[in-house]
């Protein structure tokens, strides 16, 4: 602290200090909540033993993450990383398909009035169907297998991606397109070199919303239709009365969602750095 | 080079707005023609027809002896707000045309360097458009049109959004560039001084319906510079054009 204060005049320590301040402020509320939760418990549990206190959750989590099982097959010792990767892998897989399908379709709808008239209404009719309602069909087609989860994630992430891409494509400055045509660009060059970069800010908005839905979708489908991953553990632990694991699992999901959003935002900041540069108007 | 005969442009169906009404108009090769008129008189519509951005409703229009069906690199357009692609550097904006046309690097790169030098932006080739002032951005706009070696340059109020001082320096720059390249130019403006200073011929337009009411040859000596803005000949042309525009206005 004294270091930050003594160098307050230079740029970097001030930024560090500002960052530290923000981190402290952000942590204040969750730490207080956890502390109150801990206080509310007696004998390591609250609400008549229904919920464990944070210290118990923490202990169970550490065992789940780093423990090595000695006797028998305890599913809650040392399996955390594995479950995490199962879920994260499905999210990456399904999200990638949603991007690969959603961005081109969104661009086509935004670009062509004919395509918009032909495709957009169907998408708008299907969109209100919640991903949970797709579960029976998913299980009927893919069974209790990995791809059922991927299918659900793709559907969930597809809508926000396609809608935001469409909007971004429609909002492209008409004169940018005219300029490209004037310079001899064909339709393909206009789409890839002008419309796509111009729509990127909207596309990233769609990606962030879509990724949030992807995490919801993976947990839901693992709870019901797939026998591995954080969602499966969540439901399974509830059945055997391991509420400490349930809570540790929930925190893990939150953490993963938060981290993956951070990743998307970092990519967005990098890809759209041309928007943030300041003028050196002379 | 450019010829309009009985060209009309109607927006929005049968009883729509007549932006252009039976316009007859020609631009010769190497000529610098200014279209002068108030906003809404159809001068930008006329330019957009030549550019291929819009389609005419009646009549015939030829560019270099052929009907125009779509935009193309033989007609370099300079837009009012430059309309550079903001994610590309100055250099990438300038070579965008040659690149998408599939030209060879060694063919267009020396030309792009030379044109950036002419417009005075050599030192800024790595800058992004947001990092440039309005005048500098418009220099890039001119450079990316010139690099394609177009048969004609179509300029749609290119200096309209600039402050007075920057506008003067851009007009001076354009005079110098034109003196060097002698490209055919169609220049749309609502600024009388600008029209007289730059053009060989000023076409005065009126609105509703859009028509060219008067064509005034400007036989000021070339090469010109912004110093000509204050000489007596210039004032004479200005008085003539103002009288013409007032007359057109009174008829309404």
């Amino acid at each position: 602290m004294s270091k930050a204060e003594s160098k307050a005049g230079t740029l970097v320590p001030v930024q560090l200090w500002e960052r530290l301040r923000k981190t402290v402020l952000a942590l204040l509320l969750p730490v207080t909540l956890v502390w109150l939760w801990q206080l509310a418990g007696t004998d390591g549990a609250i609400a008549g033993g229904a919920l464990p206190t944070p210290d118990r959750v923490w202990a169970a989590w550490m065992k789940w993450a780093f423990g090595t099982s000695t006797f028998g097959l305890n599913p809650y010792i040392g399996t955390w990383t594995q479950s995490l990767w199962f879920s994260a892998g499905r999210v990456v897989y399904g999200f990638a398909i949603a991007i690969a399908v959603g961005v081109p379709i969104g661009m086509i709808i935004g670009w062509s009035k004919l395509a918009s008239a032909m495709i957009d209404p169907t998408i708008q009719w299907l969109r209100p169907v919640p991903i949970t309602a797709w579960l029976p069909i998913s299980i009927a087609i893919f069974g209790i297998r990995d791809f059922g989860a991927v299918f659900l994630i793709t559907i969930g992430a597809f809508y926000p991606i396609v809608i935001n891409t469409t909007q971004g494509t429609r909002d492209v400055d008409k004169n940018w397109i005219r300029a490209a045509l004037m310079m001899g660009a064909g339709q393909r060059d206009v789409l890839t070199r002008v419309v796509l970069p111009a729509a990127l800010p909207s596309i990233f908005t769609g990606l962030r919303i879509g990724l949030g839905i992807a995490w919801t979708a993976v947990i839901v489908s693992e709870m019901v239709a797939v026998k591995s991953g954080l969602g499966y553990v969540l439901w399974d632990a509830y059945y055997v009365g391991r509420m400490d694991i349930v809570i540790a699992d929930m925190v893990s999901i939150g953490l993963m969602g938060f981290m993956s959003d951070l990743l998307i935002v970092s990519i967005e900041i990098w890809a759209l750095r041309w928007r943030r540069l300041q003028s050196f108007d002379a | 080079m450019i010829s309009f005969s009985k060209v009309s442009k109607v927006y929005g169906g049968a009883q729509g707005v007549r932006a252009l009404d039976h316009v007859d108009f020609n631009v010769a090769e190497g000529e610098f023609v200014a279209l002068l008129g108030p906003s809404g008189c159809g001068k930008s519509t006329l330019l957009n027809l030549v550019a291929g951005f819009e389609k005419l409703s009646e009549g015939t229009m030829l560019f270099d002896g052929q009907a125009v069906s779509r935009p193309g690199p033989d007609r370099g357009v300079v837009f009012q707000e430059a309309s550079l692609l903001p994610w590309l550097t100055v250099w990438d904006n300038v070579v965008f045309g040659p690149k998408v046309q599939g030209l060879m690097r060694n063919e267009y790169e020396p030309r792009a360097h030379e044109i950036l030098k002419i417009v005075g932006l050599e030192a800024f080739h790595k800058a992004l458009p947001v990092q440039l002032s309005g005048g500098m951005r418009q220099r890039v706009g001119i450079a990316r049109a010139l690099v394609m070696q177009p048969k004609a340059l179509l300029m749609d109020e290119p200096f309209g959004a600039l402050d007075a001082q920057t506008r003067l320096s851009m007009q001076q720059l354009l005079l110098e560039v034109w003196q060097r390249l002698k490209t055919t130019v169609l220049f749309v403006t609502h600024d009388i001084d600008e029209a007289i200073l730059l053009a060989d011929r000023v076409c005065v337009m009126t609105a509703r319906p859009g028509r060219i009411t008067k064509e005034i040859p400007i036989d000021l000596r070339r090469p010109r510079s912004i110093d000509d803005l204050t000489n007596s000949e210039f004032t004479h042309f200005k008085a003539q054009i103002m009288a013409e525009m007032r007359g057109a206005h009174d008829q309404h």
Side-chain angles (χ1 to χ4, degrees):
Chain A
M1 182 167 146
S2 63
K3 207 167 187 179
E5 277 176 351
S6 68
K7 287 189 176 177
T10 60
L11 199 65
V12 175
V14 172
Q15 280 179 344
L16 275 175
W17 179 238
E18 185 58 28
R19 197 177 262 190
L20 188 68
R21 199 181 80 95
K22 271 193 171 169
T23 311
V24 169
L25 285 177
L27 286 174
L28 216 56
L29 183 62
V31 168
T32 310
L33 288 175
V34 170
W35 179 64
L36 287 173
W37 170 17
Q38 179 74 39
L39 280 187
T42 50
D43 303 326
I46 54 172
L51 291 179
T53 50
D55 57 331
R56 296 255 171 121
V57 172
W58 181 256
W61 192 0
M62 288 303 108
K63 222 178 200 179
W64 183 24
F66 305 115
T68 43
S69 61
T70 42
F71 301 107
L73 279 169
N74 188 328
Y76 305 124
I77 296 177
T79 56
W80 181 72
T81 326
Q82 202 187 355
S83 298
L84 202 77
W85 284 119
F86 272 128
S87 299
R90 287 173 189 134
V91 166
V92 169
Y93 195 177
F95 190 56
I97 298 176
I99 295 174
V101 178
V103 170
I105 290 184
M107 283 180 70
I108 290 166
I109 295 174
W111 181 249
S112 146
K113 279 181 184 148
L114 180 67
S116 172
M118 284 174 65
I119 306 172
D120 204 32
T122 309
I123 290 180
Q124 300 309 329
W125 288 328
L126 287 174
R127 193 161 67 95
V129 180
I131 41 169
T132 40
W134 285 93
L135 267 169
I137 284 191
S138 169
I139 296 170
I141 297 175
F142 304 107
I144 314 283
R145 257 176 294 152
D146 243 37
F147 200 79
V150 174
F151 172 73
L152 234 57
I153 293 163
T154 302
I155 287 188
F158 172 77
Y159 296 116
I161 292 175
V162 84
I163 286 167
N164 283 281
T165 305
T166 301
Q167 201 51 48
T169 305
R170 283 184 182 147
D171 288 346
V172 174
D173 189 329
K174 191 177 62 182
N175 278 343
W176 291 346
I177 294 166
R178 285 180 164 181
L181 291 171
M182 170 274 286
M183 290 187 276
Q187 178 143 305
R188 223 188 69 187
D189 276 320
V190 170
L191 282 171
T192 56
R193 290 173 189 260
V194 181
V195 177
L196 181 62
L200 223 44
S202 298
I203 293 175
F204 269 107
T205 305
L207 294 188
R208 287 186 70 181
I209 302 170
L211 190 58
I213 296 176
W215 277 102
T216 310
V218 78
I219 298 307
V220 166
S221 61
E222 284 171 353
M223 282 166 79
V224 181
V226 188
K227 295 285 163 213
S228 61
L230 288 174
Y232 170 72
V233 172
L234 185 77
W235 204 234
D236 201 51
Y238 164 71
Y239 264 119
V240 298
R242 289 293 303 271
M243 291 311 285
D244 48 355
I245 294 293
V246 167
I247 294 169
D249 193 301
M250 287 169 67
V251 178
S252 307
I253 296 165
L255 214 59
M256 288 306 285
F258 178 72
M259 301 284 273
S260 52
D261 185 59
L262 219 59
L263 183 68
I264 291 272
V265 171
S266 314
I267 297 172
E268 178 180 6
I269 287 172
W270 174 81
L272 302 179
R273 58 198 182 284
W274 54 271
R275 293 177 98 212
R276 292 173 305 114
L277 280 169
Q278 287 303 302
S279 158
F280 49 73
D281 224 313
Chain B
M1 168 79 18
I2 303 170
S3 81
F4 280 64
S5 87
K6 305 225 172 346
V7 169
S8 298
K9 173 70 185 177
V10 185
Y11 288 108
Q15 59 247 31
V17 185
R18 264 191 121 70
L20 290 176
D21 187 44
H22 295 93
V23 170
D24 291 306
F25 169 70
N26 289 291
V27 179
E29 188 159 356
E31 196 181 13
F32 196 130
V33 174
L35 286 171
L36 177 68
S39 48
C41 72
K43 56 192 194 296
S44 291
T45 303
L46 198 154
L47 182 137
N48 284 343
L49 291 179
V50 182
F53 297 151
E54 296 179 41
K55 291 194 164 27
L56 47 79
S57 311
E58 299 157 24
T60 49
M61 186 216 15
L62 299 177
F63 178 84
D64 201 26
Q66 292 190 315
V68 168
S69 60
R70 65 169 86 114
D74 53 341
R75 285 148 289 143
V77 181
V78 180
F79 298 83
Q80 182 172 7
E81 305 277 358
S83 293
L84 305 177
L85 301 177
W87 52 88
L88 297 181
T89 61
V90 166
W91 175 258
D92 286 329
N93 266 288
V94 171
V95 299
F96 183 95
K99 239 183 206 169
V100 295
Q101 290 167 46
L103 299 185
M104 299 294 286
R105 257 168 180 245
N106 54 16
E107 191 182 339
Y108 66 75
E109 283 195 342
R111 198 163 70 228
H113 278 298
E114 196 202 331
I115 283 163
L116 275 180
K117 198 188 280 179
I118 293 174
V119 299
L121 283 176
E122 254 187 318
F124 292 91
H125 70 279
K126 277 187 183 154
L128 287 168
V130 285
Q131 297 174 295
L132 305 177
S133 67
M136 290 160 94
R137 249 176 263 164
Q138 201 51 285
R139 284 164 198 250
V140 181
I142 293 170
R144 83 169 169 192
L146 287 176
V147 81
M148 303 184 302
Q149 300 180 301
K151 290 177 185 153
L153 208 51
L154 312 174
M155 307 182 83
D156 190 3
E157 302 196 37
F159 310 143
L162 304 176
D163 62 76
Q165 228 164 337
T166 310
R167 193 179 312 158
L168 280 176
S169 71
M170 292 299 290
Q171 287 163 351
Q172 182 68 43
L173 175 86
L174 183 59
L175 281 172
E176 285 161 15
V177 169
W178 187 82
Q179 199 62 40
R180 240 170 116 159
L181 303 174
K182 295 276 168 60
T183 319
T184 309
V185 179
L186 181 58
F187 192 101
V188 165
T189 182
H190 56 250
D191 181 334
I192 300 175
D193 285 7
E194 185 169 73
I196 301 169
L197 176 67
L198 298 174
D200 297 318
R201 181 155 51 100
V202 174
C203 298
V204 180
M205 290 189 74
T206 54
R208 281 173 293 270
R211 275 186 185 137
I212 295 175
T213 51
K214 186 93 177 171
E215 302 198 11
I216 300 157
I218 309 292
D219 45 16
L220 288 172
R221 186 173 43 84
R222 299 248 187 206
R224 298 178 196 166
S225 84
I226 49 174
D227 297 332
D228 289 311
L229 285 168
T230 48
N231 76 29
S232 58
E233 265 183 292
F234 187 95
T235 318
H236 164 76
F237 284 119
K238 189 168 177 178
Q240 192 186 342
I241 289 172
M242 283 176 79
E244 173 60 35
M245 289 180 97
R246 200 176 301 125
H249 186 75
D250 289 346
Q251 284 169 15
H252 277 261

